[in-house]
Amino acid sequence: MEHNYKNSYKVQEKELVSLSVYNVGFQKCDPLYQWGPGIRDHYLIHYIISGNGVYQVSGKEYLLSAGDAFLVYPNTEVTYFADEKNPWEYAWVGFTGSDASTIFRATDFSKEQPVISQIPYGEELRNAIFDIYGCRGNEFYHALEMTGHLYRMLSILLHNATTQKIQNTTGSYVQKSIEYIMANYSYPITIEDIAFYVGLSRSHLYRSFQTTIGMSPKEYLTDFRIKQACDLLKHSQLSITAIANSVGFDNSLYFSKTFHKNKGVSPKVYRQNKRNELCIKYFFPSTKQIQPGDM
């Protein structure tokens, strides 16, 4: 009798921003073994090695078998379970990062079609997942090796994509720009850097941002940096200069001026106000007034 098994590895610290492995493994499932309904906070690819199963997402049900693959998108409710008579065996890899959504837009996967059937390059895809698993470990070099094999696995999906997807839309340019900002805001990046990254002129990038989100790329970058600075002011003991450097300002005076223009107060006053608010909440917690019908 064939024994069922599960081999999995979950990464403890995900230090890489652009793309990093969340978990990886392979499993021979019991009959009707089920995950969900539930959501994941990361992308998750399953490749079916043998057997059958069902994937349910967005009101649709997919009957899957060996050679198929399915993708779980972040924050999307899904359920998947093994067949009762011929339960599936699959390999999977979960990952997250600012590059992920851009990469998947160039594959055959989509939210409307999160399944690829009878993949002719399935063995290559399966081996790539096993290579990721083979590099597992808690050291930083393990994370680099796993991510390297992850990029190779994703390149297999891109290279074998059968549909030509139009990527150069206004929305996709803005999304790619935002992902770049999220990954690099702590460095002294410029709007020219962002435009070069997405392959647009500065003026075209400006028009794309204005059309899509109603602000310029410079305004978005500044607002994003100030939001990160606010979080550090509230939750860290870093000096104003250290915070300025941490969010991409190489001049603390310019940072303070920009912060004041954006928030109406200096960083120092903002920090003190937030600490005063915390003190008030701690020493004078609000009490719920009893309303008719509460008892």
Side-chain angles (χ1 to χ4, degrees), residues 27-98:
Q27 180 174 2
K28 172 66 177 176
C29 297
D30 291 320
L32 298 178
Y33 172 86
Q34 176 173 321
W35 191 92
I39 64 172
R40 304 288 196 179
D41 62 356
H42 54 279
Y43 290 90
L44 183 63
I45 287 180
H46 285 76
Y47 174 73
I48 304 167
I49 300 170
S50 64
N52 303 300
V54 175
Y55 179 41
Q56 297 173 337
V57 57
S58 302
K60 297 180 180 179
E61 183 172 283
Y62 301 90
L63 304 178
L64 305 179
S65 58
D68 297 340
F70 65 93
L71 174 64
V72 177
Y73 281 86
N75 305 312
T76 301
E77 184 175 335
V78 301
T79 301
Y80 47 93
F81 56 90
D83 184 75
E84 183 175 10
K85 295 181 179 179
N86 187 22
W88 55 16
E89 174 187 7
Y90 50 50
W92 77 86
V93 59
F95 53 95
T96 186
S98 58

Side-chain angles (χ1 to χ4, degrees), residues 9-195:
Y9 177 76
K10 184 172 183 179
V11 177
Q12 300 303 312
E13 298 293 336
K14 291 168 281 296
E15 301 180 60
L16 303 175
V17 175
S18 297
L19 206 63
S20 61
V21 176
Y22 186 94
N23 55 32
V24 62
F26 50 97
Q27 180 174 2
K28 172 66 177 176
C29 297
D30 291 320
L32 298 178
Y33 172 86
Q34 176 173 321
W35 191 92
I39 64 172
R40 304 288 196 179
D41 62 356
H42 54 279
Y43 290 90
L44 183 63
I45 287 180
H46 285 76
Y47 174 73
I48 304 167
I49 300 170
S50 64
N52 303 300
V54 175
Y55 179 41
Q56 297 173 337
V57 57
S58 302
K60 297 180 180 179
E61 183 172 283
Y62 301 90
L63 304 178
L64 305 179
S65 58
D68 297 340
F70 65 93
L71 174 64
V72 177
Y73 281 86
N75 305 312
T76 301
E77 184 175 335
V78 301
T79 301
Y80 47 93
F81 56 90
D83 184 75
E84 183 175 10
K85 295 181 179 179
N86 187 22
W88 55 16
E89 174 187 7
Y90 50 50
W92 77 86
V93 59
F95 53 95
T96 186
S98 58
D99 281 348
S101 62
T102 302
I103 291 171
F104 273 118
R105 284 197 296 270
T107 71
D108 284 341
F109 284 118
S110 68
K111 288 192 174 181
E112 295 73 29
Q113 187 62 36
V115 168
I116 303 177
S117 300
Q118 297 304 297
I119 301 176
Y121 51 91
E123 185 174 351
E124 190 179 2
L125 187 65
R126 181 198 63 188
N127 290 340
I129 296 176
F130 284 171
D131 286 341
I132 298 171
Y133 182 80
C135 295
R136 66 194 183 280
N138 291 324
E139 299 297 331
F140 186 58
Y141 74 85
H142 288 128
L144 291 175
E145 289 182 344
M146 293 173 76
T147 301
H149 284 294
L150 174 62
Y151 272 112
R152 183 171 66 84
M153 186 207 77
L154 293 172
S155 73
I156 294 169
L157 291 172
L158 267 66
H159 179 72
N160 290 280
T162 58
T163 58
Q164 282 289 83
K165 296 186 178 180
I166 300 174
Q167 298 297 315
N168 298 336
T169 63
T170 297
S172 65
Y173 282 132
V174 172
Q175 178 63 31
K176 191 174 181 181
S177 299
I178 291 173
E179 291 165 356
Y180 181 81
I181 289 170
M182 291 173 63
N184 296 280
Y185 73 90
S186 61
Y187 299 99
I189 59 172
T190 65
I191 303 306
E192 286 77 9
D193 294 329
I194 301 170

